[in-house]
């Protein structure tokens, strides 16, 4: 089976079939990345990510994982999308603003279990930079080092964001749970991640 890098190079050379295979291989993961962040434009964002991946091939040296590179492109595509969509705001600071602040309407992601739906809602209330690192770590099982490389931030910054994101997520979840008389957070982030992956891939 051809590797991701081989498929990318073949696509770059004009093999549309290789691009289609690469798209099918990673489509679901990239779709999930956007699904809890937008209420529309999902397909456009996914397509922009794969096209950005192709156009930026020269920047990918192959010494990191292709998957990390792909999520890095998705993150940049999403940042550009937000700044264009909310261009009337002075500045969309991903370290400060949450998706809930920008658009309180629900995302495209829906879960059957109440605690998972509360978690998805809590995630959207985190500053976007924190939401992204916690999703990549728990949903995509990327290491802090891989996240740092994908997002082009220092490793220490990625580790700090991840630690703070866990704290904020538990706080937001507990606040939402109290409002509907649900149990507070257990701290089982790995269990939550599994439940979300199962819910989104059913």
């Amino acid at each position: 089976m051809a590797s991701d890098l081989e498929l990318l190079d073949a696509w770059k050379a004009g093999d549309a079939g290789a691009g289609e295979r690469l798209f099918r291989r990673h489509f679901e993961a990239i779709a999930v990345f956007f699904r809890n962040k937008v209420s529309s434009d999902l397909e456009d964002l996914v397509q922009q990510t794969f096209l950005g991946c192709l156009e930026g091939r020269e920047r990918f040296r192959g010494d990191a994982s292709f998957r990390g590179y792909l999520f890095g492109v998705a993150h940049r595509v999403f940042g550009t999308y937000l700044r264009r969509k909310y261009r009337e705001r002075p500045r969309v600071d991903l370290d400060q603003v949450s998706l809930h602040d920008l658009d309180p309407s629900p995302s495209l992601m829906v879960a059957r279990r109440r605690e998972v739906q509360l978690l998805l809602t809590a995630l959207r209330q985190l500053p976007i930079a924190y939401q992204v690192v916690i999703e990549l770590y728990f949903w995509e099982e990327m290491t802090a080092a891989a996240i740092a490389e994908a997002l082009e931030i220092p490793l220490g910054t990625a580790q700090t964001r991840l630690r703070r994101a866990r704290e904020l997520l538990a706080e937001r979840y507990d606040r939402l749970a109290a409002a509907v008389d649900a149990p507070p957070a257990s701290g089982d982030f790995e269990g939550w991640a599994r439940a979300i992956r199962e819910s989104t891939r059913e």
Side-chain angles (χ1 to χ4, degrees):
M1 183 174 67
S3 70
D4 292 331
L5 187 54
E6 289 169 339
L7 289 176
L8 180 61
D9 284 340
W11 187 19
K12 185 74 173 177
D15 184 347
E20 180 64 26
R21 288 162 63 194
L22 193 64
F23 183 85
R24 288 198 305 268
R25 186 177 290 178
H26 295 284
F27 167 80
E28 186 58 32
I30 297 302
V32 168
F33 176 82
F34 289 116
R35 201 169 284 145
N36 197 40
K37 297 178 180 65
V38 298
S39 55
S40 62
D41 303 314
L42 175 69
E43 292 182 5
D44 285 345
L45 289 167
V46 172
Q47 290 179 1
Q48 288 175 38
T49 296
F50 281 93
L51 288 176
C53 171
L54 177 65
E55 292 165 359
R57 169 64 185 93
E58 288 73 20
R59 294 197 304 271
F60 179 53
R61 299 185 303 275
D63 49 359
S65 76
F66 172 80
R67 191 159 149 269
Y69 166 65
L70 187 59
F71 276 106
V73 173
H75 182 255
R76 288 192 294 276
V77 165
F78 187 58
T80 300
Y81 167 82
L82 290 178
R83 292 180 182 99
R84 287 177 178 167
K85 184 173 182 178
Y86 301 102
R87 55 184 175 271
E88 73 281 359
R89 295 175 68 102
R91 181 168 179 262
V92 177
D93 186 344
L94 304 189
D95 289 332
Q96 300 293 328
V97 71
S98 74
L99 291 170
H100 181 77
D101 294 334
L102 295 173
D103 182 4
S105 61
S107 73
L108 299 175
M109 190 177 289
V110 177
R112 295 178 184 177
R113 290 169 49 185
R114 181 173 65 168
E115 64 270 24
V116 176
Q117 191 62 56
L118 288 174
L119 176 61
L120 293 172
T121 302
L123 275 168
R124 285 178 54 82
Q125 294 182 6
L126 299 186
I128 295 167
Y130 292 92
Q131 177 182 351
V132 168
V133 295
I134 209 164
E135 288 176 354
L136 292 179
Y137 187 81
F138 287 105
W139 295 8
E140 301 303 328
E141 300 179 322
M142 292 174 66
T143 65
I147 292 170
E149 192 153 23
L151 303 184
E152 299 179 333
I153 57 177
L155 175 58
T157 300
Q159 292 170 329
T160 299
R161 283 186 188 174
L162 183 58
R163 183 171 58 252
R164 182 58 180 150
R166 292 175 70 131
E167 296 169 353
L168 290 173
L169 182 59
E171 291 173 8
R172 300 293 194 279
Y173 180 91
D174 284 349
R175 191 178 306 161
L176 292 168
V180 296
D181 197 26
S186 65
D188 180 17
F189 291 97
E190 289 78 6
W192 278 349
R194 285 194 301 273
I196 290 174
R197 283 195 297 271
E198 291 166 3
S199 175
T200 59
R201 288 163 172 77
E202 287 176 349

